[in-house]
Amino acid sequence: MNEELRGRERWDDPMAGMLSSSGKGPKREGGKEVYKGAAMPNRYGIRPGSRWDGVDRGNGFEKEYFAARNRRRNLKELDYAWQMDE
């Protein structure tokens, strides 16, 4: 009888959205809605919120950061390739 009462859905249950595993509602990660579009990476790995409009309002630091990081990695790989070529 307890299992039957626990399984019953109630319209005024505030935690029903968090505990429900029936697949209803938007896709959630950790209880929060997730942005579904493409987003620029950032150095902390934080995904944008569901209400983000897709506009990057930063000063370009993240873009330059990743460009420099990729450039360093490419130079290191090229240096290694040149050493192995000789």
Side-chain angles (χ1 to χ4, degrees):
M1 184 167 132
N2 279 342
E3 295 301 322
E4 180 184 334
L5 291 175
R6 278 190 199 154
R8 192 178 296 168
E9 289 189 25
R10 293 168 184 81
W11 65 272
D12 61 344
D13 188 3
M15 288 299 292
M18 299 291 182
L19 301 175
S20 177
S21 61
S22 62
K24 296 179 184 176
K27 195 91 165 171
R28 293 175 181 252
E29 180 179 292
K32 295 185 178 183
E33 293 181 17
V34 178
Y35 182 70
K36 293 174 183 70
M40 293 289 292
N42 60 41
R43 53 199 154 136
Y44 304 112
I46 300 171
R47 304 221 17 215
S50 63
R51 294 185 177 96
W52 185 54
D53 60 357
V55 179
D56 183 15
R57 292 179 176 83
N59 60 3
F61 176 78
E62 299 281 336
K63 186 176 181 180
E64 292 295 322
Y65 172 77
F66 281 111
R69 197 169 100 179
N70 290 337
R71 191 177 323 111
R72 264 186 264 128
R73 188 183 71 218
N74 287 339
L75 287 175
K76 190 180 272 188
E77 288 175 3
L78 282 173
D79 189 33
Y80 180 76
W82 275 94
Q83 289 175 1
M84 291 293 119
D85 192 34
E86 292 177 354

